[in-house]
Amino acid sequence: MQSLSQETRQATDIRITGTSRAAQEIRDFARRASKFNETLLLTGETGVGKDHLAEYIHSLGADGRPFVPVDCGTLPRDLVESHLFGYVRGAYTGAGEGKDGLIQAAEGGTLFLNEVANMSIELQSKLLRVAEGRSYRKVGGTQEIQIRTRIIAGTNVDLSAKVEAGRFKLDLFYRLATITYQIPALRERPEDIEPLSYLFLKQ
Protein backbone atom coordinates (compact mmCIF):
# COMPACT_ATOMS: atom_id res chain seq x y z
CA MET A 1 0.00 0.00 0.00
CA GLN A 2 3.01 2.31 0.04
CA SER A 3 2.36 3.21 -3.60
CA LEU A 4 -0.87 5.00 -2.71
CA SER A 5 -1.14 8.39 -4.31
CA GLN A 6 -1.47 11.57 -2.24
CA GLU A 7 -4.92 12.02 -3.74
CA THR A 8 -5.94 8.59 -2.51
CA ARG A 9 -4.66 9.30 1.01
CA GLN A 10 -6.52 12.61 1.18
CA ALA A 11 -9.72 10.98 -0.06
CA THR A 12 -9.78 8.65 2.95
CA ASP A 13 -9.80 11.57 5.38
CA ILE A 14 -13.40 12.49 4.54
CA ARG A 15 -16.64 10.72 5.31
CA ILE A 16 -17.48 9.84 1.69
CA THR A 17 -14.35 8.04 0.58
CA GLY A 18 -13.23 7.94 -3.04
CA THR A 19 -11.47 9.76 -5.86
CA SER A 20 -13.92 9.01 -8.67
CA ARG A 21 -16.25 11.52 -10.27
CA ALA A 22 -19.17 9.61 -8.73
CA ALA A 23 -17.70 10.01 -5.24
CA GLN A 24 -17.26 13.74 -5.81
CA GLU A 25 -20.84 14.01 -7.03
CA ILE A 26 -22.02 12.27 -3.87
CA ARG A 27 -20.07 14.76 -1.74
CA ASP A 28 -21.46 17.68 -3.77
CA PHE A 29 -25.00 16.39 -3.32
CA ALA A 30 -24.45 16.00 0.42
CA ARG A 31 -23.26 19.59 0.77
CA ARG A 32 -26.26 20.90 -1.14
CA ALA A 33 -28.72 18.70 0.74
CA SER A 34 -27.33 19.74 4.12
CA LYS A 35 -28.38 23.34 3.49
CA PHE A 36 -32.08 22.47 3.36
CA ASN A 37 -34.46 20.72 5.72
CA GLU A 38 -36.35 18.84 3.01
CA THR A 39 -37.16 15.15 3.34
CA LEU A 40 -34.72 13.00 1.38
CA LEU A 41 -35.04 9.56 -0.19
CA LEU A 42 -31.75 7.73 -0.73
CA THR A 43 -31.93 4.75 -3.08
CA GLY A 44 -29.44 2.08 -4.10
CA GLU A 45 -28.49 -1.53 -3.68
CA THR A 46 -27.82 -3.05 -0.28
CA GLY A 47 -24.33 -2.09 0.83
CA VAL A 48 -23.89 1.12 -1.18
CA GLY A 49 -23.79 3.18 2.02
CA LYS A 50 -27.20 4.82 2.35
CA ASP A 51 -26.71 4.99 6.10
CA HIS A 52 -23.26 6.56 5.74
CA LEU A 53 -24.49 9.18 3.28
CA ALA A 54 -27.44 10.05 5.53
CA GLU A 55 -25.12 10.53 8.51
CA TYR A 56 -22.68 12.54 6.39
CA ILE A 57 -25.46 14.90 5.25
CA HIS A 58 -26.56 15.26 8.85
CA SER A 59 -23.01 15.95 10.07
CA LEU A 60 -22.51 18.82 7.64
CA GLY A 61 -25.20 20.85 9.38
CA ALA A 62 -25.79 18.98 12.62
CA ASP A 63 -24.15 21.30 15.14
CA GLY A 64 -24.29 18.60 17.82
CA ARG A 65 -27.88 17.57 17.18
CA PRO A 66 -28.81 13.86 17.27
CA PHE A 67 -28.68 11.44 14.36
CA VAL A 68 -30.98 8.46 14.96
CA PRO A 69 -30.80 5.56 12.47
CA VAL A 70 -33.70 3.10 12.35
CA ASP A 71 -33.55 -0.17 10.41
CA CYS A 72 -37.18 -0.74 9.51
CA GLY A 73 -36.42 -4.32 8.54
CA THR A 74 -35.17 -5.41 11.96
CA LEU A 75 -37.65 -3.75 14.33
CA PRO A 76 -40.02 -6.39 15.79
CA ARG A 77 -43.42 -6.09 14.10
CA ASP A 78 -45.40 -6.19 17.33
CA LEU A 79 -43.27 -3.47 18.93
CA VAL A 80 -42.30 -1.27 15.97
CA GLU A 81 -44.95 1.38 16.68
CA SER A 82 -44.00 1.81 20.34
CA HIS A 83 -40.31 1.84 19.38
CA LEU A 84 -40.88 4.69 16.94
CA PHE A 85 -43.56 6.74 18.64
CA GLY A 86 -43.12 5.84 22.28
CA TYR A 87 -46.09 5.14 24.55
CA VAL A 88 -47.98 6.56 27.50
CA ARG A 89 -48.46 4.82 30.81
CA GLY A 90 -51.01 2.02 30.54
CA ALA A 91 -51.08 2.10 26.74
CA TYR A 92 -50.99 -1.70 26.69
CA THR A 93 -50.40 -4.59 29.05
CA GLY A 94 -47.00 -4.23 30.63
CA ALA A 95 -46.65 -0.54 29.79
CA GLY A 96 -45.94 0.72 33.28
CA GLU A 97 -44.23 4.06 32.92
CA GLY A 98 -44.48 5.96 29.67
CA LYS A 99 -41.52 6.07 27.33
CA ASP A 100 -40.28 8.28 24.51
CA GLY A 101 -39.67 6.68 21.12
CA LEU A 102 -36.99 7.02 18.48
CA ILE A 103 -38.79 9.93 16.81
CA GLN A 104 -38.49 11.94 20.02
CA ALA A 105 -34.86 10.85 20.39
CA ALA A 106 -34.14 12.51 17.04
CA GLU A 107 -35.77 15.81 18.03
CA GLY A 108 -34.01 18.72 16.38
CA GLY A 109 -31.74 16.41 14.41
CA THR A 110 -32.19 13.70 11.79
CA LEU A 111 -34.27 10.53 11.78
CA PHE A 112 -32.94 8.04 9.21
CA LEU A 113 -35.44 5.36 8.23
CA ASN A 114 -33.49 2.69 6.37
CA GLU A 115 -35.33 0.10 4.24
CA VAL A 116 -38.54 2.07 4.70
CA ALA A 117 -40.32 -0.23 2.23
CA ASN A 118 -40.49 -2.85 4.99
CA MET A 119 -43.01 -0.79 6.96
CA SER A 120 -46.58 -2.05 7.12
CA ILE A 121 -49.32 -0.03 5.39
CA GLU A 122 -50.76 0.86 8.79
CA LEU A 123 -47.45 2.21 10.03
CA GLN A 124 -46.93 4.06 6.74
CA SER A 125 -50.15 5.97 7.41
CA LYS A 126 -48.85 7.10 10.79
CA LEU A 127 -45.47 8.02 9.37
CA LEU A 128 -47.23 10.16 6.75
CA ARG A 129 -48.55 12.38 9.54
CA VAL A 130 -45.01 12.80 10.86
CA ALA A 131 -43.61 13.61 7.42
CA GLU A 132 -46.42 16.02 6.51
CA GLY A 133 -47.20 17.80 9.73
CA ARG A 134 -44.04 17.19 11.76
CA SER A 135 -46.20 15.88 14.58
CA TYR A 136 -47.19 12.54 16.12
CA ARG A 137 -48.95 10.91 19.04
CA LYS A 138 -47.51 8.34 21.37
CA VAL A 139 -49.17 4.92 21.47
CA GLY A 140 -52.23 5.27 23.69
CA GLY A 141 -51.85 9.04 23.86
CA THR A 142 -54.06 11.91 22.73
CA GLN A 143 -51.58 14.78 22.85
CA GLU A 144 -50.16 15.95 19.53
CA ILE A 145 -46.39 16.31 19.85
CA GLN A 146 -44.64 18.73 17.50
CA ILE A 147 -41.13 17.94 16.32
CA ARG A 148 -38.34 19.76 14.46
CA THR A 149 -36.74 16.71 12.95
CA ARG A 150 -35.46 16.07 9.45
CA ILE A 151 -36.46 12.74 7.91
CA ILE A 152 -34.16 10.86 5.55
CA ALA A 153 -35.42 7.55 4.19
CA GLY A 154 -33.47 4.80 2.45
CA THR A 155 -34.55 1.89 0.29
CA ASN A 156 -32.97 -0.80 -1.87
CA VAL A 157 -36.16 -1.44 -3.85
CA ASP A 158 -38.18 0.49 -6.42
CA LEU A 159 -40.75 2.27 -4.25
CA SER A 160 -42.79 3.37 -7.27
CA ALA A 161 -43.27 -0.33 -8.13
CA LYS A 162 -44.37 -0.94 -4.54
CA VAL A 163 -46.91 1.88 -4.92
CA GLU A 164 -48.29 0.35 -8.12
CA ALA A 165 -48.59 -3.01 -6.36
CA GLY A 166 -50.54 -1.39 -3.52
CA ARG A 167 -47.84 -2.16 -0.97
CA PHE A 168 -46.66 1.40 -0.35
CA LYS A 169 -48.77 4.51 0.16
CA LEU A 170 -48.63 6.96 -2.73
CA ASP A 171 -48.92 10.01 -0.45
CA LEU A 172 -46.02 8.84 1.68
CA PHE A 173 -43.91 8.07 -1.39
CA TYR A 174 -44.37 11.62 -2.71
CA ARG A 175 -43.65 13.08 0.71
CA LEU A 176 -40.45 11.07 1.20
CA ALA A 177 -39.26 11.59 -2.37
CA THR A 178 -39.19 15.39 -2.15
CA ILE A 179 -35.52 14.99 -3.08
CA THR A 180 -34.32 11.60 -4.34
CA TYR A 181 -30.73 10.49 -4.83
CA GLN A 182 -29.53 7.21 -6.35
CA ILE A 183 -26.21 6.05 -4.89
CA PRO A 184 -24.09 4.19 -7.46
CA ALA A 185 -22.74 0.74 -6.65
CA LEU A 186 -18.99 0.34 -6.14
CA ARG A 187 -18.67 -1.66 -9.39
CA GLU A 188 -19.70 1.53 -11.21
CA ARG A 189 -16.78 3.46 -9.66
CA PRO A 190 -13.82 1.05 -9.48
CA GLU A 191 -11.40 3.95 -8.87
CA ASP A 192 -12.70 4.04 -5.31
CA ILE A 193 -11.74 0.45 -4.47
CA GLU A 194 -8.16 1.43 -3.55
CA PRO A 195 -8.96 4.28 -1.13
CA LEU A 196 -11.76 2.25 0.45
CA SER A 197 -9.43 -0.69 0.95
CA TYR A 198 -6.88 1.64 2.55
CA LEU A 199 -9.58 3.03 4.86
CA PHE A 200 -10.70 -0.45 5.95
CA LEU A 201 -7.12 -1.46 6.67
CA LYS A 202 -6.63 1.67 8.81
CA GLN A 203 -9.76 0.81 10.77
Side-chain angles (χ1 to χ4, degrees), residues 14 48 50 59 67 74 100 106-107 110 112 119 145 150 169-170 173 187:
I14 54 181
V48 295
K50 295 182 287 291
S59 70
F67 175 82
T74 61
D100 290 338
E107 168 61 19
T110 301
F112 175 56
M119 281 189 171
I145 302 173
R150 181 181 200 171
K169 291 185 66 65
L170 178 63
F173 171 69
R187 65 176 176 275

Coordinates of all heavy atoms in Angstrom, one line a residue, residues 14 48 50 59 67 74 100 106-107 110 112 119 145 150 169-170 173 187:
I14 N -12.1 11.9 4.5 CA -13.4 12.5 4.5 C -14.4 11.4 4.7 O -14.1 10.2 4.5 CB -13.7 13.3 3.3 CG1 -13.4 12.5 2.0 CG2 -12.9 14.6 3.3 CD1 -13.6 13.2 0.8
V48 N -24.5 0.0 -0.5 CA -23.9 1.1 -1.2 C -23.6 2.2 -0.2 O -22.9 3.2 -0.5 CB -24.8 1.7 -2.3 CG1 -24.9 0.6 -3.4 CG2 -26.1 2.1 -1.8
K50 N -26.1 3.8 2.1 CA -27.2 4.8 2.3 C -27.1 5.4 3.8 O -27.3 6.6 4.0 CB -28.6 4.1 2.1 CG -28.8 3.7 0.7 CD -30.1 3.1 0.4 CE -30.3 1.7 1.0 NZ -29.5 0.7 0.3
S59 N -24.2 15.4 9.4 CA -23.0 15.9 10.1 C -22.6 17.3 9.5 O -22.0 18.1 10.2 CB -21.8 15.0 10.0 OG -21.3 14.9 8.6
F67 N -28.4 12.2 15.6 CA -28.7 11.4 14.4 C -29.2 10.1 14.8 O -28.4 9.4 15.5 CB -27.4 11.3 13.5 CG -27.6 10.4 12.3 CD1 -28.2 10.9 11.1 CD2 -27.2 9.1 12.4 CE1 -28.3 10.1 10.0 CE2 -27.4 8.2 11.2 CZ -27.9 8.7 10.1
T74 N -35.5 -4.6 10.8 CA -35.2 -5.4 12.0 C -36.0 -5.1 13.2 O -36.0 -5.9 14.2 CB -33.7 -5.2 12.3 OG1 -33.5 -3.8 12.6 CG2 -32.8 -5.6 11.2
D100 N -40.5 7.6 25.8 CA -40.3 8.3 24.5 C -39.8 7.3 23.5 O -39.1 6.3 23.8 CB -39.3 9.4 24.6 CG -39.8 10.6 25.4 OD1 -41.0 10.7 25.5 OD2 -39.0 11.4 26.0
A106 N -34.8 11.8 18.1 CA -34.1 12.5 17.0 C -34.5 14.0 17.0 O -34.2 14.7 16.1 CB -34.5 11.9 15.7
E107 N -35.3 14.4 18.0 CA -35.8 15.8 18.0 C -34.7 16.8 17.7 O -33.6 16.8 18.4 CB -36.4 16.1 19.4 CG -36.7 17.6 19.7 CD -37.7 18.2 18.7 OE1 -38.5 17.4 18.0 OE2 -37.8 19.4 18.5
T110 N -31.8 14.5 13.0 CA -32.2 13.7 11.8 C -32.6 12.3 12.2 O -32.0 11.6 13.0 CB -31.0 13.6 10.8 OG1 -30.6 14.9 10.4 CG2 -31.4 12.8 9.6
F112 N -33.2 8.8 10.4 CA -32.9 8.0 9.2 C -33.7 6.7 9.2 O -33.4 5.9 10.1 CB -31.4 7.8 9.0 CG -31.1 6.9 7.8 CD1 -31.5 7.3 6.6 CD2 -30.4 5.8 8.0 CE1 -31.3 6.5 5.5 CE2 -30.1 5.0 6.9 CZ -30.5 5.4 5.6
M119 N -42.0 -1.2 6.0 CA -43.0 -0.8 7.0 C -44.4 -1.3 6.5 O -44.7 -1.3 5.3 CB -43.1 0.7 7.1 CG -42.0 1.3 7.9 SD -42.3 3.1 8.2 CE -41.2 3.5 9.4
I145 N -47.7 15.9 19.5 CA -46.4 16.3 19.9 C -45.7 16.8 18.6 O -45.6 16.1 17.6 CB -45.6 15.2 20.4 CG1 -46.2 14.6 21.7 CG2 -44.1 15.6 20.7 CD1 -45.6 13.3 22.2
R150 N -35.6 16.4 10.9 CA -35.5 16.1 9.5 C -35.6 14.6 9.3 O -35.0 13.8 10.0 CB -34.1 16.5 8.9 CG -34.0 16.3 7.4 CD -32.7 16.7 6.9 NE -32.7 16.9 5.4 CZ -31.8 17.4 4.7 NH1 -30.7 17.9 5.3 NH2 -31.9 17.6 3.4
K169 N -47.8 3.4 0.3 CA -48.8 4.5 0.2 C -48.2 5.6 -0.8 O -47.1 6.0 -0.6 CB -49.1 5.1 1.5 CG -49.9 4.2 2.4 CD -50.3 4.9 3.7 CE -51.3 6.1 3.4 NZ -52.6 5.6 2.9
L170 N -49.1 6.0 -1.7 CA -48.6 7.0 -2.7 C -48.3 8.3 -2.1 O -47.3 8.9 -2.4 CB -49.7 7.1 -3.8 CG -49.5 8.2 -4.9 CD1 -48.3 7.8 -5.7 CD2 -50.7 8.4 -5.8
F173 N -45.0 8.1 -0.4 CA -43.9 8.1 -1.4 C -43.6 9.5 -1.9 O -42.4 9.9 -1.9 CB -44.3 7.2 -2.6 CG -43.4 7.3 -3.7 CD1 -42.1 6.8 -3.7 CD2 -43.8 7.9 -4.9 CE1 -41.2 6.8 -4.7 CE2 -42.9 8.0 -6.0 CZ -41.7 7.4 -5.9
R187 N -19.1 -1.1 -8.1 CA -18.7 -1.7 -9.4 C -18.8 -0.6 -10.5 O -18.2 -0.7 -11.5 CB -19.5 -2.9 -9.8 CG -20.9 -2.6 -10.0 CD -21.7 -3.9 -10.5 NE -23.1 -3.7 -10.7 CZ -24.0 -3.8 -9.7 NH1 -23.6 -4.1 -8.5 NH2 -25.3 -3.5 -9.9

